Amino acid sequence: MGDENFYPGADYGMDSGYNKDYSLGVQDPYQFKASYFGLTTDPRSANQITEVSKKLNTGAKTIEVSGVSPEVLDYIPEQHLTEIYRLKELVGVDLTFHGPLIEPTGVSRQGWDESQREQAEREMWTALRRAHKIDPKGNIIVTFHSSNGLPDPESRVKTEFIDPVTKEKKTREEIKDFWVVNERDGNFERLDFSPDYFRSKEKFEKIEDQEKAIKEQITKQNKDAWFRQLQQLSYHANAGYDIVSKVLYGKEYKDEEKSSEVKDFLKYYSDYKEGGKLSEALNKFDDIYKNKVKEKVYALSHGELYLRDAYQDLQTLFNQAYSVAKLNNSEDDMKKLNKYREEMKSKISYLDSKDPQKFLEFAEEIERGTTVLGSTNYPRALKPLKEFAVEKSAKTFANIAYNAYSEFKDTAPIISIENPPAGTGLTRANDLKEVVKRSRDFLVDKLVSEKNLSESEAKRQAEKLIGVTWDVGHINMLRKFGYSEKDIVSETKKVAELVKHVHLSDNFGMQHTELPMGMGNVPVKPMLEAIHKYNDQVKKIIETGGWFQHFKVSPLKESLRAFGSPVYSMQMSPYWNNVADSSGGYFSGYGRMLPETHFSLYGSGFSNLPPELGGQLSGRSRASGAPIE
């Protein structure tokens, strides 16, 4: 059947010519049918049944149920989720789910704490279980952000410069600052990127050289911090030793022999340790002698306090070094530390001895411990925040994926990790790739060790259950840091193989606006081309909350126009970019073939349809005509 019997539309729209102002310039196979696009529900409403029904009225075949707000998600009753599933089965649509915005690493403004990460994991697991209720027979895609509130671990910008040789204008990528975290106390801080002028260049032309310099800077800080701690330990041990030694072997004594006078001092010191007071026997001596005894006794007490501080420092540093040696499987360090530990055990009681001579032996043993610790690998307390965040978020995603597999097996939800807006944490392609890789590795290890799966089957499950939601609008915000369209497309190519889900929204690269595609400068055509090389069935969700908020209309028509989608199911002209806003040369009503008078007389007129389909009635079910609220 030829297309001459179909009304071709008129040239009166905002996008009057294809490949002009508002179109994406796509050609087949990217002139997707309307059924290829999905819509999101309003995340502000807990009445998601109504929200799903409203989106069904637009004719959308895929709908993303929103649980973005943790508080609003808690308001949704379990029964509503079951009813949404029944509605899905009745109408025959696909559902996806956007999980709550939670920071998966456990990092907050107060720092990092493992208990916070565990709490985030519990919240995300609860959301995943609830998402399973709206599609219990399939593998529903559940999107979580890779971060939410995490600062950008490395602030990178593209800057222009004049090549001194060619005099041409070029660009280079620079790291302006970076964040580190102290894994022991959970605190993190931002450091400025500054080269070491003794050993480094002032400028680094390549990003790889900058990254290397950053690692060297963190290594130096860790090493310096470790040796400062050892220096403090040595200072306390030596201060205690010097004080005790001076009391026992002062200048008035020859060849380090304890005189009877010193023995008397030690007896008074023993009495002092017992009761906290000097012996009343001193009262029979004159004030000069009493003051001399007091001075010696108090000095010994002071020296003992120094040695106790030194021992506390030794315990702390030994535990850190021992943990690092175990973590790194360093046999040489473990051998040194175990040997020293055994030798030290018999001397720990020296601190409680009433003989200060034991203090000196104890101080010498602490000083030897300083040397032993200095010869081992130093603990790396400071870590790059990016490396740390990848590890912690991957642990969270792997654990909830493991729980999903354990409870639901073949119908386990798919965890799709989304890139948040550029400028925040873990938003770039390489970041997401590393999070997915580490998450899958963790999951494989757990499935093999705890579920007795073969490694090949565990890998298959991990690749199935963990992937990426690529938000084309979020990554486009790299433009405000000086990146080009080519850079944006390059980011997509890096992660394309892992993409299981796409969020469509447009912007101008400066703010987190959410326009329908074709109204900003997101290069969606080459981005989709890169993704479709690996997955041409990927779901595409139109995520334009800002557009709906301001203009109060569905973004579906604008999106269909941008992609030049066909109006009719046989995927031939007319296309939405031609007819979206046209009125056409009609004789009456909706044209000669579909006159409004005919439908008014015999029923089922266009006016009885919701406005999303060209009618006049809103807020009513397409199935029954009854109000949906």
Side-chain angles (χ1 to χ4, degrees):
M1 183 179 181
D3 64 357
E4 65 274 4
N5 292 322
F6 292 99
Y7 172 65
D11 196 12
Y12 301 151
M14 293 177 70
D15 190 14
S16 57
Y18 186 65
N19 201 19
K20 292 296 191 302
D21 290 343
Y22 279 167
S23 75
L24 300 174
V26 296
Q27 299 289 343
D28 189 62
Y30 300 107
Q31 292 177 278
F32 303 113
K33 294 187 295 184
S35 60
Y36 279 48
F37 299 100
L39 297 176
T40 61
T41 59
D42 189 341
R44 299 168 297 179
S45 174
N47 189 356
Q48 289 292 302
I49 295 179
T50 296
E51 290 301 316
V52 171
S53 296
K54 287 179 179 178
K55 301 307 176 187
L56 287 174
N57 282 344
T58 68
K61 297 291 290 181
T62 301
I63 298 171
E64 184 152 284
V65 179
S66 179
V68 169
S69 167
E71 296 81 10
V72 174
L73 177 59
D74 269 4
Y75 270 108
I76 303 175
E78 293 289 273
Q79 294 88 338
H80 282 206
L81 300 176
T82 303
E83 287 301 312
I84 290 174
Y85 167 63
R86 294 175 64 184
L87 187 59
K88 167 193 179 302
E89 291 292 283
L90 177 66
V91 180
V93 295
D94 291 327
L95 296 179
T96 63
F97 187 84
H98 199 311
L101 299 181
I102 296 172
E103 179 53 57
T105 61
V107 170
S108 68
R109 291 186 177 181
Q110 289 71 43
W112 175 83
D113 187 86
E114 176 63 15
S115 64
Q116 292 172 179
R117 190 205 63 77
E118 292 173 349
Q119 180 180 338
E121 182 182 308
R122 285 190 290 270
E123 285 191 68
M124 294 168 75
W125 166 232
T126 299
L128 201 72
R129 291 187 70 205
R130 301 194 74 196
H132 185 262
K133 291 181 178 292
I134 65 176
D135 190 7
K137 295 181 180 179
N139 300 108
I140 186 170
I141 292 177
V142 180
T143 293
F144 291 107
H145 280 204
S146 60
S147 73
N148 182 55
L150 185 75
D152 192 354
E154 289 180 359
S155 298
R156 300 189 180 199
V157 298
K158 270 285 186 76
T159 57
E160 292 185 347
F161 71 100
I162 303 298
D163 189 301
V165 178
T166 65
K167 306 302 180 183
E168 295 178 352
K169 184 183 289 186
K170 295 183 178 180
T171 62
R172 63 171 161 239
E173 192 174 26
E174 294 183 0
I175 299 174
K176 288 297 185 183
D177 56 43
F178 59 96
W179 290 76
V180 294
V181 60
N182 189 316
E183 195 166 11
R184 288 201 295 272
D185 59 23
N187 292 324
F188 53 93
E189 60 179 315
R190 186 176 67 182
L191 301 179
D192 293 327
F193 176 60
S194 56
D196 183 344
Y197 291 110
F198 275 116
R199 297 180 296 179
S200 305
K201 300 178 182 178
E202 275 190 51
K203 287 286 185 182
F204 297 97
E205 300 298 330
K206 295 181 180 179
I207 194 71
E208 295 81 5
D209 294 333
Q210 297 176 47
E211 291 173 337
K212 181 181 177 182
I214 286 175
K215 290 180 180 178
E216 289 176 352
Q217 187 172 334
I218 294 174
T219 297
K220 183 177 182 301
Q221 289 201 23
N222 278 321
K223 190 179 293 186
D224 290 349
W226 177 243
F227 284 105
R228 279 196 301 270
Q229 290 175 298
L230 291 179
Q231 184 182 41
Q232 183 181 12
L233 168 62
S234 179
Y235 171 79
H236 285 159
N238 276 293
Y241 183 92
D242 288 345
I243 292 171
V244 175
S245 179
K246 187 176 180 180
V247 171
L248 296 182
Y249 310 115
K251 293 179 180 179
E252 64 267 38
Y253 310 118
K254 297 179 180 179
D255 300 325
E256 299 185 350
E257 291 182 352
K258 288 189 285 187
S259 68
S260 59
E261 188 177 6
V262 173
K263 292 180 180 179
D264 289 338
F265 290 157
L266 296 182
K267 180 181 183 304
Y268 293 132
Y269 179 69
S270 177
D271 293 340
Y272 179 72
K273 287 192 68 174
E274 284 289 334
K277 294 181 180 180
L278 287 171
S279 173
E280 293 182 1
L282 276 173
N283 292 333
K284 64 181 180 180
F285 298 104
D286 58 30
D287 288 343
I288 294 176
Y289 183 79
K290 282 195 292 186
N291 289 337
K292 192 174 184 179
V293 170
K294 285 181 181 179
E295 181 183 343
K296 299 284 188 182
V297 169
Y298 293 158
L300 284 175
S301 179
H302 192 204
E304 181 186 348
L305 290 177
Y306 265 116
L307 293 176
R308 289 190 180 276
D309 281 345
Y311 179 60
Q312 292 297 324
D313 292 343
L314 177 69
Q315 282 184 304
T316 300
L317 299 181
F318 183 89
N319 290 339
Q320 292 176 17
Y322 202 87
S323 297
V324 169
K326 287 180 66 177
L327 186 65
N328 296 335
N329 293 317
S330 176
E331 295 182 5
D332 185 50
D333 285 353
M334 289 294 291
K335 185 178 179 180
K336 292 178 186 176
L337 294 171
N338 282 325
K339 183 175 183 294
Y340 175 71
R341 180 174 63 173
E342 291 303 315
E343 293 169 349
M344 187 64 173
K345 279 182 180 179
S346 62
K347 298 180 180 179
I348 293 176
S349 61
Y350 283 9
L351 265 184
D352 297 319
S353 172
K354 295 179 181 179
D355 180 5
Q357 178 65 38
K358 297 290 187 182
F359 294 171
L360 298 180
E361 294 181 43
F362 191 72
E364 290 173 348
E365 198 61 34
I366 291 177
E367 187 62 37
R368 193 170 71 84
T370 304
T371 304
V372 172
L373 292 176
S375 69
T376 63
N377 287 315
Y378 57 90
R380 291 163 176 79
L382 290 182
K383 283 188 174 181
L385 181 58
K386 183 164 73 171
E387 175 187 320
F388 179 84
V390 165
E391 198 76 5
K392 299 304 177 184
S393 62
K395 184 177 180 181
T396 299
F397 291 126
N399 286 345
I400 61 176
Y402 174 81
N403 293 341
Y405 177 81
S406 299
E407 185 163 334
F408 304 119
K409 295 293 189 297
D410 293 338
T411 63
I414 292 170
I415 298 166
S416 201
I417 305 169
E418 179 179 354
N419 56 310
T424 57
L426 303 183
T427 188
R428 302 200 182 201
N430 285 335
D431 299 338
L432 257 67
K433 285 179 68 175
E434 193 60 28
V435 171
V436 169
K437 179 182 180 303
R438 296 295 295 136
S439 300
R440 288 177 174 179
D441 288 346
F442 282 142
L443 180 57
V444 168
D445 290 343
K446 291 195 74 168
L447 291 175
V448 170
S449 62
E450 299 182 29
K451 294 296 181 183
N452 297 320
L453 267 63
S454 67
E455 187 167 347
S456 60
E457 175 60 17
K459 285 182 178 179
R460 189 182 73 82
Q461 290 295 336
E463 290 172 2
K464 171 186 174 184
L465 295 178
I466 301 175
V468 166
T469 290
W470 192 240
D471 191 305
V472 298
H474 287 174
I475 198 62
N476 193 59
M477 290 172 63
L478 283 176
R479 289 179 187 267
K480 68 180 177 181
F481 301 107
Y483 291 86
S484 66
E485 177 178 311
K486 183 179 178 181
D487 295 322
I488 307 302
V489 175
S490 177
E491 287 287 311
T492 305
K493 290 179 179 179
K494 292 175 186 176
V495 78
E497 187 176 2
L498 302 173
V499 174
K500 294 180 179 289
H501 199 50
V502 171
H503 281 169
L504 295 175
S505 66
D506 215 336
N507 57 50
F508 295 97
M510 300 297 129
Q511 300 296 327
H512 186 206
T513 48
E514 292 180 326
L515 296 168
M517 298 310 304
M519 292 189 171
N521 58 15
V522 173
V524 70
K525 179 186 176 184
M527 296 170 88
L528 289 180
E529 286 175 345
I531 292 169
H532 277 219
K533 287 182 179 179
Y534 300 97
N535 184 0
D536 60 0
Q537 299 299 314
V538 65
K539 296 182 185 299
K540 303 168 186 66
I541 304 298
I542 301 169
E543 197 177 47
T544 55
W547 166 266
F548 185 84
Q549 179 182 352
H550 289 285
F551 298 100
K552 310 299 181 185
V553 295
S554 168
L556 185 58
K557 181 183 70 173
E558 306 299 337
S559 301
L560 296 176
R561 175 170 65 183
F563 279 95
S565 297
V567 173
Y568 300 109
S569 60
M570 60 281 297
Q571 292 188 269
M572 56 197 303
S573 64
Y575 300 102
W576 277 95
N577 58 301
N578 302 130
V579 303
D581 288 316
S582 63
S583 57
Y586 300 108
F587 286 113
S588 63
Y590 290 90
R592 288 170 291 180
M593 294 188 64
L594 299 171
E596 174 64 17
T597 303
H598 177 86
F599 293 107
S600 298
L601 290 174
Y602 299 105
S604 301
F606 278 177
S607 59
N608 293 328
L609 294 175
E612 295 90 346
L613 297 182
Q616 299 171 6
L617 297 183
S618 62
R620 294 184 176 274
S621 168
R622 289 171 57 193
S624 66
I628 59 176
E629 290 188 310

